């Protein structure tokens, strides 16, 4: 079960004060939340690496959370930042399927918040060509040539769409909701 | 792989130390203190204009420095907000402030094209250089305060945040120097008091990202 916003905020505030028990609970909840957050936007074999990178960033930037503000939008901004960084560094072809076993986000009061800060909202700001190019090459792990053939675009155009799309994503980390 | 995450969590918990949270209110106070310190430095280092000391405030002085002050506070506030990332953060006020302050150089250029003989001179070499140098220099306090804030924080748009640090620093620097600058005409203020903001913005945009990337 994933804790609610208020509980996570409280755990984080306690963790900032040095409470290790609260921090352990928080990190476990965050790891669980992040696995679902990244869900189908990362190859299954890269999901745990990305979750770990994000937890490390959370630890390094613990002070940047203002306890007067909600926790999940803060975590989502860090997760988006790490995810875009991850996409930039994914070049090699990956055969593995997407993380089909990762459940979608849960039900309940948190649904609306989660939907507003989701990666899908971020992706919605891309043009269809940019979104398709990034999905095929950076997320599904196909080669540029395969993506070009599948989309009916030239290879240079695929590269341009990826470049511009990632730049757009990076500029929308906090805005897209 | 799940065990790896458990090990990581165990390791991170062991390394936990209490931290002082970066609150927005604290960031705003730091920014205001840096602004006040810039004015104090300018007043101590240089002579304050005599007309200001006598209580006479020329309209051009008030309008121009008011715009620069608003620009600096708007850009600085955005930097403070950006140090603590949040999906849903809104920090676009600096764009409007920049557009308003941009009216000064824009007006100066228009006035220069229709310059008449009895208008003030477009160039005043004995003052122009000092305005650029002191304006840029007096912004260093603000630049340092905001950069430190970003280094402790987690800006998710490092390039944008760095540009705004430069703009905030340049604007407060030239505003602080404004209490000493004896010239009030649109050519001097519009051009030579805008150059430090441009220079600081460029320096910030290209140098600070390397200091704050995480």
């Amino acid at each position: 079960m994933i804790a609610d916003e208020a509980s996570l905020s409280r755990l984080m505030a306690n963790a900032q004060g040095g409470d290790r028990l609260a921090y352990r609970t928080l990190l476990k909840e965050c790891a669980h939340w992040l696995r679902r957050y990244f869900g189908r936007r990362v190859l299954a074999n890269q999901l745990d690496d990305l979750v770990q990178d994000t937890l490390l960033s959370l630890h390094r930037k613990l002070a940047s959370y203002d306890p007067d503000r909600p926790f999940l939008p803060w975590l989502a901004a860090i997760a988006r930042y790490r995810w875009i960084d991850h996409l930039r560094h994914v070049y090699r072809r990956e055969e593995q399927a997407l993380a089909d076993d990762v459940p979608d986000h849960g039900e309940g009061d948190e649904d609306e918040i989660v939907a507003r800060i989701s990666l899908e909202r971020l992706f919605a700001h891309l043009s269809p060509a940019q979104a398709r190019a990034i999905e095929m090459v950076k997320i599904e792990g196909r080669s540029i040539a395969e993506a070009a053939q599948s989309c009916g675009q030239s290879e240079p155009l695929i590269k341009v769409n990826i470049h511009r799309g990632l730049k757009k994503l990076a500029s929308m980390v906090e805005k897209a909701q | 792989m799940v065990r790896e995450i458990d090990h990581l969590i165990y390791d991170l918990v062991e390394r936990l130390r209490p931290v002082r949270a970066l609150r927005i209110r604290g960031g705003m106070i730091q920014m205001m203190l840096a602004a006040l310190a810039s004015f104090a430095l300018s007043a101590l280092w240089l002579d304050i204009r005599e007309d200001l000391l006598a209580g006479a405030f020329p309209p051009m002085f008030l309008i121009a420095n008011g715009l620069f002050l608003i620009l600096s506070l708007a850009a600085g506030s955005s930097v403070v907000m950006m140090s603590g990332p949040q999906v849903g953060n809104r920090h676009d006020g600096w764009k409007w402030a920049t557009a308003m302050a941009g009216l000064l150089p824009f007006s100066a250029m228009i006035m220069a094209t229709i310059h008449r003989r009895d208008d003030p001179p477009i160039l005043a070499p004995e003052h122009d250089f000092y305005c650029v140098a002191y304006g840029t220099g007096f912004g260093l306090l603000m630049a340092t305060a905001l950069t430190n804030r970003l280094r402790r924080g987690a800006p998710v748009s490092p390039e944008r945040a760095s540009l705004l640090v430069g703009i905030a620093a340049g604007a407060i620097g030239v505003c602080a120097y404004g209490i000493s600058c004896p010239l009030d005409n649109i050519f001097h203020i519009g051009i030579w008091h805008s150059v430090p903001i441009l220079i600081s913005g460029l320096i910030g945009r290209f140098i600070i990202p390397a200091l704050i990337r995480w």
Side-chain angles (χ1 to χ4, degrees), chain A residues 1-2 4 36 104-115:
Chain A
M1 178 197 165
I2 288 185
D4 59 17
R36 301 205 307 175
D104 288 336
H105 274 293
E107 299 156 3
D109 296 341
E110 302 299 309
D111 275 3
E112 178 56 24
I113 297 174
V114 171

Side-chain angles (χ1 to χ4, degrees), chain B residues 53-125:
Chain B
L53 289 174
F57 295 91
M60 187 66 193
F61 167 86
L62 290 174
I63 292 170
N65 287 298
L67 286 173
F68 291 138
L69 182 63
I70 290 170
L71 173 59
S72 178
L73 296 182
S77 304
S78 295
V79 172
V80 170
M81 297 290 289
M82 292 168 98
S83 65
Q86 287 265 321
V87 172
N89 248 356
R90 286 279 181 267
H91 32 69
D92 293 331
W94 67 275
K95 293 177 182 172
W96 294 103
T98 304
M100 285 192 294
L103 285 174
L104 292 170
F106 181 69
S107 304
M109 282 187 280
I110 289 180
M111 296 297 288
T113 59
I114 54 172
H115 189 259
R116 292 171 303 192
R117 188 168 294 177
D118 54 344
D119 283 340
I122 294 175
L123 294 177

Side-chain angles (χ1 to χ4, degrees), chain A residues 65-152:
Chain A
Y65 171 67
D66 181 345
D68 295 337
R69 306 177 81 192
F71 176 78
L72 285 175
W74 175 82
L75 181 61
I78 289 182
R80 284 179 172 187
Y81 185 68
R82 285 275 79 97
W83 176 67
I84 293 166
D85 201 38
H86 165 82
L87 291 184
R88 285 198 178 113
H89 292 94
V90 172
Y91 287 108
R92 60 195 162 84
R93 179 189 172 88
E94 292 288 348
E95 299 282 346
Q96 197 163 339
L98 289 174
D100 287 333
D101 57 333
V102 177
D104 288 336
H105 274 293
E107 299 156 3
D109 296 341
E110 302 299 309
D111 275 3
E112 178 56 24
I113 297 174
V114 171
R116 280 196 289 119
I117 61 180
S118 71
L119 294 179
E120 308 308 320
R121 286 289 170 95
L122 195 57
F123 238 70
H125 288 262
L126 300 180
S127 70
Q130 290 170 345
R132 193 76 193 110
I134 290 174
E135 273 173 352
M136 295 185 84
V137 177
K138 298 290 188 178
I139 296 176
E140 295 171 12
R142 299 195 202 184
S143 68
I144 297 281
E146 284 174 328
Q149 197 173 19
S150 176
C151 295

